[in-house]
Structure formats: C-alpha cells, structure tokens
Amino acid sequence: MKKCGKKLIMPCVVFGILFFTSACVLQDKTDVKKISSPKGSYQLSQTYPIKATDEAFDSSLLTNQMASFYGYEGQGELLLKTNDKKAFKIYVNGEEVFADLSNQKWQQVDISEFTKNGDNNLQVGQVENNNKAKMNVKVPYPVLKDKTEDYTENDNFKLIDQLINAEIKNGFTSAQLVVTKNGKIVKSSAYGNISAYDLQGNPQKDGKKVTENTLYDLASNTKMYATNYAIQKLVSDGDLAIDQKVSDFFPDFKDKKSDKIKGKNELTVKEILEHQAGFPADPQYHNKNYDPDADDLSSPDANKKLYTQDRNEVMEKIIATPLEYESGTKTMYSDVDYMLLGFIIEQVTGQRLDKYMSKNYYQPLKLQHTTFNPLEHNFTKEQIAATEIHGNTRDGAIDFDNIRENTVQGEVHDEKAFYSMGGISGHAGLFANAKDLAVLTQITLNRGGYGDQQFFDEDTMDQFIKAKDTDPSFGLGWRRKGQHLYSWAFSPLADTSTIGHTGWTGTLTVIDPINHMSVILLTNTKNSPVIDNKEDPNDFVGDHFLTGQYGLIATLAFDSHKKDNSAANNAKLVDMVIAKYRYMKANKKDQTSADYAQLQSLLDVVNERKNSKEIIDFMKTKQFKQMNEFVSNG
C-alpha cells in the first residue's frame, strides 16, 4: 500500500464483539538511487531552507517552502542532497515522500507515484531546528517514454494506418507519424517507399521502405526547429533582444535615398519574427531571370541585381532587396525573414547556423537523425525520403542556371536554400525523422527543457508563442491555431493556444500545451508528378491526398483518447466519403486523376471496415453504389 493518510475500514474483535475502525495505510519507502553529482540545467534547482537573510527570501513565508514543476502522471524524480536527512520533510502534491536518504550524497528519488499531468507542487519543509541543515533539490524536465504498445488497439490509430496505407496504394508518396501525449509516445509509424515514382512518373511499388529512421526534408519546419529555437535560447541567455535593430548586427542594413519604401533603418528582430518586415515573399535569389510580372515568371536578367548562387553574397543581396510594403503595416509570410534571422544568429554566435544548433541542441539531446546536408554527415540517399522527381523543374516547366533535373534525394529541395545558401539556411535545409522531432516538440511542452538540459526559460517561451496583436494566427515565428485560422492543419480539436508549423515538402508540426500533445507528420508530397505544369507547376499529385493535407491525421490523433472509438470513427469515415464525392461532383477542377484516386482510397477503407453496422448500413445505400460507379468512370 502507498500514500499514508488514506484510511481503510479494518475489522477488530474486542471482548468477542466485532466492530470496524479506520486505520492509516502506511506508505512503502520510495525508491532511492545514489547518483554522481548532477550536471546540466534543471527546471527547478533550489537549496532549502531559504534563509531570511537571502535575497530570494519572501516575507509571505509559505512561498519559501513551496515550488512548482512540470511533469506527467507516472513519471518523475527528485535529485536530492542533504547534510541532515532527518531535518526535512518533502511533499509532492500534498503527499509525503518517504525515502531512505544518506547524508552528503546526491540521490535520485522516484516520485512517479505522486505526479500528475501539468503543474505539480513541491513542498520542502524543515522539521528540526538545525541551523546548519541544508537540502539541495533539483527537478529534471520530463523525457518521452515509448508507450506505443499500450495503444496498438486504439481504433483511431488503426484508422490512420488504414487511411495512409490505402492512399499509398492509390498513389500517395510516403509518411512518418509520431504522436505524443502526456510525456509518452503513443503512436510511431512509417508508411510507403522512400521514392514513390520513377522518372517517367510511374509508381514504384517495390522500392526501399520508409522506416522510423528515414530522414525527411523539413522545408519550412526548419524555421522552428533551427532558427526559432536558436533565437529563443539566445534571448533567454541574454545574448540577443528581440527589440534590437538589424542594423545593430549589420551596419550596412539601412535605407537608401532611392528606396521607394523605407523602413530598414528601424527594422527589429521582433518585426521579422512576426513576418511583418516588409520583404517580398520569394525574391528567388537563385534565379537570374526571375520576373514576377511576366506570365511565365521569367525574363532574361530580370533579377540580375539580386541574383547569387554564392552563400557569401546572400546577405548583401538581402540588404539590396527592396521592401514591398512599410514594415509593421501588414503580415506577409516571407522566406527572406528567416534567411535574415539565420544570418543574425551567425553574427551573434560566431558560428554557422548548423554548427550552433548541433552543439547547443541536437548533440545535448543525443539526436542521431537531425542534420543539415545529410549526405555530408554519413547518411546515404537510401536513408532519406526523396522529393521532386525532376529536380526543381516542375516536370520541365521551370529552368534556371545549374538547375537539378534528376530526383532530389538527400539535398534540400528548396531552391534558395540549395543553390544560394549551400543547404544551410534559416528558412529551410534541416532534415530529421519524426522521433527526433518529437523530442524537440517536448522542449516546448516542457516549457523550455528536456531531461537535464534547459534551452530557454518559460518567460521566453511565453513571449514567443503568444498571439501577435494584428493576427492571432502568428506568434513570434510560430504559427498559431487561434479559434479557427489554422484548424485546417492543426485540427479543430486542438486547443486555441496550439502552435506549430507546416513545410512545403509536406511536413507538419502541432504542439498543444493545454492537452500536453504533439503531432509530427512527415510526408514527401512533392515526390510525385505535377498534375498540369502549364496550368499550375506547383500542383503535385501528392497534394491531392488527405494525408498530405494534414488536418485529417491531426484530428484523428487528437481524438484518440478513447480506447474503443470504432462506431464514431466509422461515422467519420462515411461522412468523409460522402463529402469528398459531393465536392468532386460540384467542382470540375477537382476531378483530377489524383482526386479520383483519393476517393478510391476512402472507399478501400470502407471495404476494409465493412464488418461494422455503420459501414454495412452505408454500403446498402444507393449513394454508395453511385460513388463506386463515379470512381469507375473517372
């Protein structure tokens, strides 16, 4: 039995008379393990008692005994060292922690019996009048535990598997998925082949399979897992302030008399993070002929002033880039913002962005599958999901100097990152697998740290994830769900405070700090043919499948709290099939071969779940017959 203070009704016999009384159930001793002197940084590190002469002493008294820490039910430990083991009592969430401590030794005390999800209370009180008694207390941040085996029968996850596998069978590319909840990995799966189509646009059915270790090109998720995390650490450490001007770091960054729109002189780091700096969305530094005013976006030497394929020249080109609007007057998502932020990080730290992040995040966390330029870091193409089939040509629609024409695999797909930035940029270039990213999302869920590593403090995190005044779908760099603005990707079931990001190659990050959840979905939607490169060279087959549109997978993940949700899931499936059918019937432009394939995928899942009442009833309807005829004729 545990937890003294709980009462049991105990039978007693006195003088032959049976009666009942209550008895205190004594707690077993908590597990204690001797450890070496703890190194690192912790979410709580305090010496008790806080003396009245200390600067930290609070005259409201009780606050000197109490503290809070972030944790999860069923996990957690205290690191303790005392010179008088009898002088203190320790309580977690009001329950006394009984432990056989030794004097003058650092010890790890298991408190998993007492922790809960979210904020936990710690009380350390001195019970003996010993002026020399001290208790050092450290609390590590939570670390993820793999509990996927506990969720193998979860019907939401079964439905996710069925949907993704059916879509891959019908032409989708590949995926990795990791879902975490309350400090546990509850879902981790890989789907499809690392290269989905050959150069002729034919599906490759027997290629090398994606595994949980396969790397994906994160595209704009680089902005969060590299640039934002770097800046949050620098701000927390006092090495950078978001109100600093860009000209503080680059004196040449200033307005010219000839500039039609001015604002560079006063531009701050904060305005860049908020995507309101004034830069155009995509000036295409890599393309000398780029012309946004031309029908085919190309005119000879139209972009000559901003053109470079040399990383050493890019900052000069950013400085020369004309502003499109006055800074602070509107929000316009721009890759230039994060290219500039990457250079600011390098200027402040004296290190290239990839080196700084490896040293300060990826290595301390022992992440083995997170890197820029993976082919230069002992990865092979066979370990990396492929992206565009014909280089950056959009199946022959686009051309510029040194353009790649073969399947992109192991090199960053983004043109500015590859051709102009050597694969290392603040806006794109990072590769990773979903499990490594789950650890990185946990830093934010933990409010700044992981295990014995603090990367930024909670105040800094709050500053970055809160909504900006003019657009609640943006924080500082982070995209925010708000009420509805980002529900299409993050799920309507996620809390309004949910943050994350998407990436053009088909990647999704969702972090819900209220429900203690994260969803990492990595796909390579662009590893598929272009539907019509004359009509829209950026419309790929992979973009027409639900997996690559994010919201379906995220919503099923957020709705996975029930063990048996099959009836509701069958109803969801029926509704999705009907909605897709009606949408296609109403919109001729969405009657592409990829859309027919996607509808067929849903019908395949219906057939796979046909033993349930909801599906049996649906398959008897006239509409179900019409749908099958519609797909057959499509």
Side-chain angles (χ1 to χ4, degrees), residues 153-403:
E153 296 304 311
N154 184 286
D155 192 67
N156 281 57
F157 294 149
K158 286 183 178 179
L159 181 55
I160 285 174
D161 290 343
Q162 291 167 337
L163 285 164
I164 296 178
N165 284 324
E167 292 201 326
I168 288 172
K169 174 187 171 185
N170 286 282
F172 187 63
T173 50
S174 74
Q176 266 182 5
L177 174 67
V178 170
V179 181
T180 75
K181 185 171 178 61
N182 295 328
K184 298 176 286 190
I185 296 175
V186 296
K187 175 67 171 172
S188 180
S189 297
Y191 314 85
N193 297 335
I194 61 170
S195 186
Y197 290 84
D198 63 22
L199 290 172
Q200 287 71 47
N202 301 314
Q204 300 191 82
K205 297 295 186 182
D206 300 320
K208 185 174 176 60
K209 298 293 184 184
V210 171
T211 72
E212 292 183 356
N213 291 327
T214 301
L215 270 62
Y216 280 77
D217 180 343
L218 302 187
S220 284
N221 268 291
T222 301
K223 294 179 172 76
M224 300 301 103
Y225 293 120
T227 311
N228 246 55
Y229 267 1
I231 291 176
Q232 288 175 218
K233 178 171 176 55
L234 292 172
V235 169
S236 181
D237 291 348
D239 296 324
L240 175 67
I242 61 172
D243 292 326
Q244 283 184 267
K245 298 176 183 178
V246 179
S247 57
D248 292 342
F249 311 103
F250 299 101
D252 291 339
F253 189 90
K254 54 189 175 184
D255 298 315
K256 297 176 182 177
K257 289 183 179 180
S258 59
D259 288 341
K260 293 180 180 179
I261 300 173
K262 293 181 171 59
K264 291 181 180 176
N265 290 355
E266 302 301 318
L267 187 64
T268 65
V269 172
K270 181 180 180 182
E271 288 176 305
I272 305 171
L273 286 163
E274 292 178 322
H275 286 292
Q276 58 184 43
F279 286 111
D282 182 14
Q284 296 202 11
Y285 299 116
H286 60 282
N287 187 350
K288 181 168 56 179
N289 300 323
Y290 175 65
D291 183 359
D293 297 323
D295 290 340
D296 63 354
L297 301 180
S298 182
S299 299
D301 291 334
N303 200 36
K304 189 174 181 179
K305 288 184 179 179
L306 298 182
Y307 169 72
T308 185
Q309 291 192 4
D310 183 344
R311 194 179 197 272
N312 295 319
E313 298 175 352
V314 173
M315 187 61 211
E316 173 190 331
K317 302 301 181 180
I318 292 175
I319 292 173
T321 303
L323 297 182
E324 225 174 64
Y325 61 93
E326 186 180 343
S327 302
T329 59
K330 67 178 181 179
T331 301
M332 180 186 286
Y333 183 89
S334 172
D335 284 343
V336 184
D337 294 338
Y338 269 74
M339 295 174 77
L340 179 53
L341 289 171
F343 282 123
I344 289 173
I345 292 164
E346 293 181 355
Q347 187 73 3
V348 171
T349 65
Q351 300 175 67
R352 206 172 58 188
L353 177 62
D354 60 329
K355 301 293 186 185
Y356 177 81
M357 286 304 297
S358 179
K359 179 181 178 182
N360 289 280
Y361 276 88
Y362 311 146
Q363 288 181 19
L365 290 168
K366 297 179 173 60
L367 302 183
Q368 301 297 312
H369 297 87
T370 303
T371 183
F372 290 84
N373 287 333
L375 297 179
E376 298 176 14
H377 293 90
N378 300 317
F379 290 95
T380 65
K381 286 186 177 182
E382 289 69 30
Q383 296 173 291
I384 306 165
T387 51
E388 192 172 343
I389 298 171
H390 297 115
N392 294 112
T393 70
R394 306 299 192 269
D395 286 1
I398 292 174
D399 188 28
F400 53 81
D401 291 350
N402 302 313
I403 194 168

